[in-house]
Amino acid sequence: MSISPTLLIYALIFGGILLLVEALYLLTFGRSVRLGSRLNRRLEMLHSGGKRADVIDRLRKETTQHGRGTAIPFYSLLAEKAEKGKIAFSPLMLILIMGLLACAAFVGLSLFTAAPTPLKIGISAVMGIAGVWIWVSGKAKKRRDLIEEQLPDAIDLLVRGLRVGHPFTHALASAAKEIPDPLGSELGLIADEAAYGRDVGEALMAFAERMDMQDIRFLAVSVTIQAQSGGNLAEILDGLSKVVRARFKLFRRVRAITAEAKWSGMFLSGFPIAAMLMISVIKPDYYDEVKETALFIPTALVVVAFLIVNVLYMRKMVNIQV
């Protein structure tokens, strides 16, 4: 039972697919879409000579385009993640990229493997779809994590602006200039929409629902209640900032405590597979005496099922919600 180099070729082609998606994204939209830059994308667009109304329209289009793309068959499974990641590619463009990646994968498989054409077509389609899915999921997770990390600092900036006498929309616009992306552009867009007449609480709640973040919901509810019933918004937001920081600190602590169990589960799940591969490389005929028996395939399937259950169960055990 020897390990075919075809599997390694498949893995290398799929890795190239992931790199190609990122290259296309940066080539199309430039470095401005990269998260964590000093100058957030909204300010960069304004400083480059863009009109405020045009910038608002473009950012809103990028924000809502994936929600409108749920009517496209099969795309609804990807739309939510693309919306959270605020992928600048349109839904149609993402579908075209899937096709382009599938074609690139087919060319790679044709050059480096001798697989049958139907098999190459099927694997190429899976690689194209999975490549975009994994890339979008990674972008969404990274963006959500950065927003969670930036939110306490943004609330502190709002509190300082309110305490010196600025109205909330002005404090929001000032905070948007100090916070890098991804949160900076989002706050700036909300401030711009408020300047054109949209309710700030409504805009914040729409942002919270789009990102599915409880902390931003708390911020939106605080602003809405204060606007309706009055009160010291600076003190309310100061308390909210402390709660968010404490929650984020507790989450980091829980993640550190569960890291050992998480990596233990990954090791225990991956070790049997690694051992089987090493045995196959060192002694290719090791399984020859049993692989032709009737119980070999069912036993292998049972082992794989147990490994999958182990991975899912360990992941559920360490996924503690804070």
Side-chain angles (χ1 to χ4, degrees), residues 1 276 287 290-302:
M1 185 178 176
M276 184 193 70
Y287 298 101
V290 296
K291 69 179 182 179
E292 300 298 334
T293 62
L295 293 177
F296 181 75
I297 298 298
T299 303
L301 293 176
V302 169

Side-chain angles (χ1 to χ4, degrees), residues 2 13 48-49 70 74 146 149 165 210 237 261 264 286 292:
S2 59
I13 291 176
S48 62
T70 54
F74 302 108
L146 280 173
E149 188 174 347
R210 188 171 71 251
L237 295 184
S264 296
Y286 185 81
E292 300 298 334

Side-chain angles (χ1 to χ4, degrees), residues 57-75:
D57 184 64
R58 183 174 177 181
L59 292 177
R60 287 193 67 183
K61 181 180 179 181
E62 292 177 2
T63 299
T64 59
Q65 63 182 347
H66 297 288
R68 297 194 300 266
T70 54
I72 302 176
F74 302 108
Y75 185 77

Side-chain angles (χ1 to χ4, degrees), residues 258-276 278 307 310-312 314-315 318:
T258 57
E260 182 181 357
K262 178 181 178 181
W263 285 102
S264 296
M266 293 175 61
F267 174 79
L268 293 174
S269 301
F271 179 76
I273 299 175
M276 184 193 70
M278 289 299 298
L307 288 175
N310 177 66
V311 171
L312 296 177
M314 292 296 295
R315 183 175 181 179
V318 300

Side-chain angles (χ1 to χ4, degrees), residues 72-321:
I72 302 176
F74 302 108
Y75 185 77
S76 58
L77 301 175
L78 186 64
E80 183 179 354
K81 292 183 180 295
E83 192 174 34
K84 290 181 180 179
K86 200 177 182 180
I87 304 300
F89 283 137
S90 65
L92 181 59
M93 185 63 68
L94 281 178
I95 294 175
L96 291 176
I97 289 175
M98 289 181 187
L100 176 63
L101 296 180
C103 293
F106 182 81
V107 172
L109 293 173
S110 299
L111 292 176
F112 300 106
T113 67
T117 300
L119 180 61
K120 288 188 290 188
I121 294 175
I123 294 176
S124 300
V126 171
M127 283 187 177
I129 296 172
V132 173
W133 176 277
I134 293 174
W135 178 77
V136 171
S137 299
K139 288 287 185 183
K141 185 179 184 304
K142 181 180 179 181
R143 187 169 185 268
R144 194 176 190 277
D145 291 343
L146 280 173
I147 289 176
E148 286 183 342
E149 188 174 347
Q150 293 174 327
L151 186 59
D153 293 334
I155 296 176
D156 286 341
L157 290 173
L158 292 175
V159 171
R160 293 171 190 172
L162 292 172
R163 283 178 173 169
V164 298
H166 294 308
F168 181 76
T169 53
H170 189 279
L172 191 65
S174 298
K177 296 178 181 178
E178 301 294 332
I179 300 294
D181 274 346
L183 188 57
S185 291
E186 292 288 351
L187 295 181
L189 179 60
I190 293 172
D192 289 340
E193 289 178 339
Y196 279 89
R198 188 179 185 184
D199 181 71
V200 181
E202 177 187 341
L204 284 170
M205 184 58 72
F207 175 42
E209 294 299 330
R210 188 171 71 251
M211 296 303 301
D212 192 22
M213 291 181 59
Q214 193 65 32
D215 295 333
I216 302 180
R217 289 192 184 97
F218 291 152
L219 176 61
V221 170
S222 300
V223 173
T224 302
I225 292 177
Q226 191 274 338
Q228 294 176 354
S229 60
N232 191 335
L233 184 58
E235 294 299 326
I236 296 173
L237 295 184
D238 184 52
L240 177 61
S241 174
K242 294 177 181 178
V243 171
V244 173
R245 285 185 186 279
R247 183 170 175 268
F248 188 73
K249 183 178 179 181
L250 180 60
F251 172 75
R252 286 289 181 90
R253 185 176 180 183
V254 169
R255 189 163 63 178
I257 293 173
T258 57
E260 182 181 357
K262 178 181 178 181
W263 285 102
S264 296
M266 293 175 61
F267 174 79
L268 293 174
S269 301
F271 179 76
I273 299 175
M276 184 193 70
L277 294 176
M278 289 299 298
I279 291 173
S280 300
V281 171
I282 296 172
K283 190 174 176 56
D285 58 345
Y286 185 81
Y287 298 101
D288 287 351
E289 295 182 3
V290 296
K291 69 179 182 179
E292 300 298 334
T293 62
L295 293 177
F296 181 75
I297 298 298
T299 303
L301 293 176
V302 169
V303 172
V304 171
F306 274 117
L307 288 175
I308 294 174
V309 170
N310 177 66
V311 171
L312 296 177
Y313 189 74
M314 292 296 295
R315 183 175 181 179
K316 185 176 181 180
M317 286 180 62
V318 300
N319 186 23
I320 301 175
Q321 299 296 327

